[in-house]
C-alpha cells in the first residue's frame, strides 16, 4: 500500500503527495471518527487507491508534534513574521507565539519585516529587540517584502524543513509567500486602519514546496491561548529563564515571590528583559485563572 504525506485538507478530503509525485484526493476511514483519529496536514499516512485519483487514508503514522490551531503535524520550525511598523512590533504577541511554539517542541525563527518603511526610532527599537532575541538563542531576520535578497536570505532556513508561517495579522505573510513563489498569487489582505491589523485571507492549511522545503500558510493563529500548558511548563518556554533556573534557591521555582530566585535577579540587572518577565507573569496568571478541566 502506498505511503505519502497530507499536503492539503479541504471539506473532508485529504490531498496526499505519494512517493511517485502524484497528489491523490483521499477520504478518511469511517472508523477514524469512532477512534478519535483526525488526520492533519503534515501527517504521514498509508492509503489504499480506489482509482487513478481517489483513495482512502487507512493509517496515520505516529507524529513528531502537532498544533491544534492551525491543525498541522510534523512541523520542524515556525517562521514568525512580525512587522516593525504598520502594525507596530509587539513584544507581548511575539512572546506569546514563542511560548506556544516552544511548548510543542517546534523551533522558532523570527522574521521582522517592513524595515524599508520604518522610521529611525522604530528601526532602532527593532534592532535592539533583534539583538536581545539573538542573544538568547533565536535566529532573527530583519528584512522587507521587496528585498531582492529575500529568497536567498530565507532559503537556508527553509531548505529541507517543514515550516509553519505565522505571526501578526497584516504583516504580509501572504505577500511574503507570493515573493517566494510568484506563481502562487495568494490573495493579500488590506490593513484595517481602524483595527490596526490585517484581515484574514487564508482559509485552509496547505503545505507548499518552497526553496527545497515545505511551507504552510496557516489561518487560525490569531487566537493564542495556553490551554495545553501547565504553570510548571510555561517557565521552560522562556529559554533564558530555563537556562538560569538551576541557580534558583528552590527547585521548582516559578520565579514569582520565591526568595533566592535567579531569574528575578537577572531581571533586576537587565540580563533578562523586563518585558519578557512581565509577559511571563501575565501568561502565568492566565494559566492560574484558567478553569480546571474535568
Amino acid at each position: 500500500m502506498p505511503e505519502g504525506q497530507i499536503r492539503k485538507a479541504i471539506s473532508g478530503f485529504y490531498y496526499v503527495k505519494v512517493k511517485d509525485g502524484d497528489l491523490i484526493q483521499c477520504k478518511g476511514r469511517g472508523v477514524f471518527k469512532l477512534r478519535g483519529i483526525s488526520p492533519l496536514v503534515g501527517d504521514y499516512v498509508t492509503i489504499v487507491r480506489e482509482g487513478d485519483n481517489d483513495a482512502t487514508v487507512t493509517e496515520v503514522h505516529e507524529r513528531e508534534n502537532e498544533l491544534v490551531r492551525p491543525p498541522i503535524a510534523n512541523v520542524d520550525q515556525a517562521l514568525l513574521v512580525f512587522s516593525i511598523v504598520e502594525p507596530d512590533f509587539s513584544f507581548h504577541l511575539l512572546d506569546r507565539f514563542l511560548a506556544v511554539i516552544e511548548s510543542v517542541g517546534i523551533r522558532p525563527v523570527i522574521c521582522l519585516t517592513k524595515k524599508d518603511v520604518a522610521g529611525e526610532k522604530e528601526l532602532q527599537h527593532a534592532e535592539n529587540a533583534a539583538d536581545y532575541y539573538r542573544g538568547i538563542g533565536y535566529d532573527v531576520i530583519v528584512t522587507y517584502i521587496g528585498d531582492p535578497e529575500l529568497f536567498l536570505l530565507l532559503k537556508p532556513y527553509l531548505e529541507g524543513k517543514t515550516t509553519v508561517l505565522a505571526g501578526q495579522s497584516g504583516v504580509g505573510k501572504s505577500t511574503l509567500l507570493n515573493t517566494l513563489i510568484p506563481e502562487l498569487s495568494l490573495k493579500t489582505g488590506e490593513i484595517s486602519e481602524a483595527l490596526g491589523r490585517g484581515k484574514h485571507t487564508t482559509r485552509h492549511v496547505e503545505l507548499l514546496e518552497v526553496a527545497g522545503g515545505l511551507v504552510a500558510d496557516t489561518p487560525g493563529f490569531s487566537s493564542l491561548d495556553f490551554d495545553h500548558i501547565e504553570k510548571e511548563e510555561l517557565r521552560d518556554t522562556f529559554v533564558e529563564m530555563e537556562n538560569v533556573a538551576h541557580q534558583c534557591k528552590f527547585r521548582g521555582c516559578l520565579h514569582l515571590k520565591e526568595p533566592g530566585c535567579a531569574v528575578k535577579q537577572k531581571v533586576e540587572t537587565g540580563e533578562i528583559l523586563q518585558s519578557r518577565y512581565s509577559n511571563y507573569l501575565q501568561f502565568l496568571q492566565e494559566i492560574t485563572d484558567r478553569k480546571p478541566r474535568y
Side-chain angles (χ1 to χ4, degrees):
M1 290 183 286
E3 296 180 352
Q5 184 185 36
I6 299 176
R7 294 291 179 86
K8 180 170 62 173
I10 302 177
S11 302
F13 287 97
Y14 306 101
Y15 296 83
V16 177
K17 185 77 171 279
V18 292
K19 290 180 181 178
D20 63 10
D22 287 344
L23 192 67
I24 310 296
Q25 178 178 286
C26 304
K27 57 182 181 291
R29 288 181 65 190
V31 73
F32 280 176
K33 191 171 183 180
L34 293 174
R35 294 178 180 174
I37 299 172
S38 297
L40 298 176
V41 170
D43 270 332
Y44 293 98
V45 297
T46 300
I47 67 172
V48 172
R49 291 201 181 194
E50 297 162 355
D52 290 338
N53 273 311
D54 288 291
T56 298
V57 175
T58 58
E59 182 185 356
V60 177
H61 301 179
E62 187 175 354
R63 295 167 181 156
E64 288 290 327
N65 54 50
E66 66 180 273
L67 292 169
V68 176
R69 288 182 294 180
I72 189 169
N74 299 315
V75 175
D76 295 310
Q77 63 185 8
L79 182 63
L80 303 181
V81 186
F82 279 70
S83 65
I84 298 169
V85 292
E86 300 176 9
D88 292 340
F89 173 71
S90 168
F91 276 106
H92 175 87
L93 192 57
L94 175 57
D95 289 343
R96 185 175 283 269
F97 268 99
L98 288 172
V100 170
I101 294 299
E102 288 278 6
S103 72
V104 289
I106 294 172
R107 173 178 175 260
V109 176
I110 301 167
C111 181
L112 303 182
T113 66
K114 301 189 181 179
K115 76 172 187 179
D116 56 325
V117 295
E120 187 176 340
K121 182 179 178 181
E122 291 85 3
L123 195 55
Q124 186 59 56
H125 178 64
E127 291 290 355
N128 291 342
D131 286 344
Y132 179 81
Y133 285 98
R134 288 189 188 110
I136 60 174
Y138 292 117
D139 288 318
V140 184
I141 303 161
V142 183
T143 185
Y144 60 98
I145 297 301
D147 186 349
E149 301 295 320
L150 182 60
F151 183 85
L152 291 176
L153 198 61
L154 291 177
K155 190 174 188 294
Y157 295 97
L158 304 179
E159 198 166 16
K161 298 202 168 48
T162 298
T163 304
V164 169
L165 188 65
Q168 275 175 298
S169 296
V171 299
K173 294 188 295 295
S174 292
T175 305
L176 188 144
L177 269 183
N178 285 338
T179 302
L180 294 174
I181 322 174
E183 64 272 20
L184 203 59
S185 298
L186 290 177
K187 181 182 177 184
T188 55
E190 296 178 355
I191 293 289
S192 167
E193 293 183 4
L195 296 176
R197 56 185 173 85
K199 300 173 183 177
H200 283 294
T201 54
T202 310
R203 299 303 176 197
H204 63 273
V205 178
E206 180 175 0
L207 284 172
L208 306 162
E209 295 182 359
V210 182
L214 296 172
V215 175
D217 193 20
T218 55
F221 251 120
S222 59
S223 177
L224 289 160
D225 53 45
F226 304 113
D227 286 349
H228 64 291
I229 304 176
E230 300 302 327
K231 287 188 293 185
E232 295 76 15
E233 296 169 330
L234 178 69
R235 64 188 176 197
D236 295 335
T237 68
F238 282 72
V239 292
E240 70 273 51
M241 297 185 194
E242 183 188 18
N243 288 340
V244 301
H246 67 281
Q247 300 173 20
C248 292
K249 182 177 181 180
F250 294 103
R251 193 174 182 178
C253 181
L254 286 177
H255 320 312
L256 287 170
K257 298 178 181 178
E258 301 94 332
C261 174
V263 167
K264 288 190 293 183
Q265 292 170 6
K266 298 290 186 184
V267 174
E268 289 171 7
T269 60
E271 294 172 75
I272 291 179
L273 204 61
Q274 177 63 54
S275 66
R276 284 275 287 173
Y277 182 63
S278 297
N279 289 334
Y280 166 75
L281 294 180
Q282 182 177 331
F283 302 160
L284 191 65
Q285 191 62 51
E286 287 183 35
I287 294 172
T288 302
D289 294 343
R290 184 175 63 200
K291 291 182 180 179
R293 287 170 288 182
Y294 297 102

